[in-house]
Amino acid sequence: MWGLVPLFWPLLKPAGAAEILAHRMAWSLVVVGIALLFIRRWDWARELLRQPRRLGLVTIAAAVITVNWGVYIWSVNSGHVVEASLGYFINPLVTIAMGVLLLGERLRPVQWAAVGVGFAAVLVLAFGYGRPPWISLCLAFTFATYGLVKKKVNLGGLESLAAETAVQFLPAVGYLAWLATQGDIVFGTEGAGHAALLAATGVVTAAPLVCFGAAAIRVPLSTLGLLQYLAPVFQFLLGILYFHEAMPPERWAGFALVWLALSLLTWDALRTARRNASRLAAARVAATAAGTSTATATATGATASVVEAGGSESALTHRPGPELAGEATGDRGRP
């Protein structure tokens, strides 16, 4: 759905990007509110209102994603689909850079190499476009910032979107009301079908996020990360094959470097995941062996010994030692 959404925004013309954005902000709250009514999940809202710091972070997240949405809608409807797709290709590299600069995270050598290749790609693309790829950089930096802030807020996907669109709602409705007073609003002037499409921006926003949240708890993180590359791939292909955007050799060279950087990141992530899985498996085997020897060594009171050994095995199996647990957590926390 995220990969095919460039096909949707042109359907909303002649509405401008700003009006489309305002409708997206307003109708998203309506859709998410209906979903929350259906699942009856409201406790998080009272808790959030009692925590000004988290509420401030939600406001920042809402502001950043507003810029991201607005730039994306404008870029698609202005014929820059390929450049917009590039923003989401380089987003992992920007996220890594933010982790190093803002959070003091340490990178493995392959990750440093990927960041270096990504920086070279931006330089090549700047030469190819005759300017820095501002659309791509804006989308990448705003979405990376959005992810960083959301990590600090620590809300579920649906709840987070509800909080953010609640912040966006009044400014969006106020802007639409101002457009109406100026006689510049498109909503309702192009027929019921066009109005329904504008209202559907809420579904277009919420549906992929709900599916993503459902997938996040059902599939391995490495698989989820690889699947997220599909969205910019689809957008890139749409830009070339459907919207027929130009791709001179310099742009192909820049995109090739970006894809090389992403290949390095993916290979390193999969290698690290396999290594951690092997270490955890070895820890489980060691824990099982330790539990078995304890039970065997006790000839008297066999039942009590076996129960105690089973308890130790369970504890060690699900909670590895500090070294392994720390390493696994560290790897998971790295971009």
Side-chain angles (χ1 to χ4, degrees):
M1 286 186 281
W2 274 325
L4 297 177
V5 77
L7 297 173
F8 178 73
W9 303 123
L11 301 177
L12 306 181
K13 294 179 179 179
E19 182 179 351
I20 296 171
L21 172 63
H23 279 288
R24 184 179 191 181
M25 292 157 65
W27 290 107
S28 292
L29 179 61
V30 174
V31 171
V32 174
I34 292 172
L36 289 174
L37 282 174
F38 180 75
I39 63 177
R40 298 179 181 179
R41 192 187 300 164
W42 296 103
D43 293 341
W44 62 271
R46 288 190 293 270
E47 181 181 351
L48 181 63
L49 290 173
R50 291 195 295 265
Q51 298 176 311
R53 181 179 176 276
R54 291 181 75 199
L55 198 57
L57 290 172
V58 167
T59 304
I60 294 173
V64 172
I65 201 62
T66 297
V67 175
N68 182 273
W69 288 353
V71 171
Y72 186 77
I73 293 168
W74 175 85
S75 63
V76 170
N77 283 359
S78 300
H80 299 284
V81 176
V82 170
E83 191 174 350
S85 74
L86 175 64
Y88 294 104
F89 276 126
I90 66 176
N91 176 66
L93 301 172
V94 174
T95 301
I96 286 177
M98 288 182 129
V100 173
L101 297 175
L102 301 180
L103 303 180
E105 294 178 346
R106 292 178 299 172
L107 299 186
R108 294 181 291 274
V110 176
Q111 291 175 314
W112 277 115
V115 171
V117 172
F119 181 73
V122 172
L123 295 179
V124 171
L125 287 165
F127 174 77
Y129 280 105
R131 57 172 175 79
W134 295 117
I135 295 173
S136 307
L137 293 172
C138 181
L139 291 173
F141 274 92
T142 52
F143 201 73
T145 303
Y146 178 66
L148 177 65
V149 175
K150 282 176 71 73
K151 182 177 180 180
K152 300 292 184 181
V153 175
N154 194 24
L155 271 178
L158 196 61
E159 295 87 344
S160 179
L161 183 61
E164 292 153 15
T165 51
V167 173
Q168 295 172 327
F169 185 78
L170 288 179
V173 172
Y175 176 73
L176 292 173
W178 179 80
L179 280 182
T181 61
Q182 300 297 309
D184 294 330
I185 195 167
V186 175
F187 184 74
T189 64
E190 298 292 319
H194 186 267
L197 285 173
L198 284 170
T201 54
V203 177
V204 169
T205 300
L209 185 63
V210 171
C211 291
F212 178 80
I217 61 175
R218 288 172 171 82
V219 300
L221 191 62
S222 57
T223 304
L224 196 68
L226 290 174
L227 288 174
Q228 290 185 75
Y229 289 139
L230 290 178
V233 166
F234 286 159
Q235 293 167 15
F236 176 78
L237 292 176
L238 283 174
I240 294 176
L241 301 177
Y242 183 80
F243 293 103
H244 304 293
E245 295 185 14
M247 280 293 291
E250 299 86 357
R251 294 184 195 174
W252 279 113
F255 270 86
L257 287 173
V258 171
W259 294 331
L260 173 61
L262 293 178
S263 299
L264 290 172
L265 282 182
T266 302
W267 173 76
D268 182 68
L270 292 175
R271 182 187 63 170
T272 303
R274 284 195 296 267
R275 184 176 61 203
N276 288 339
S278 298
R279 291 178 178 176
L280 290 174
R284 292 190 181 98
V285 170
T288 302
T292 304
S293 61
T294 301
T296 308
T298 307
T300 310
T303 303
S305 298
V306 169
V307 170
E308 184 179 353
S312 300
E313 178 185 344
S314 175
L316 288 169
T317 300
H318 297 289
R319 292 190 298 274
E323 297 82 2
L324 287 174
E327 184 170 348
T329 304
D331 286 335
R332 194 181 304 117
R334 291 179 189 147

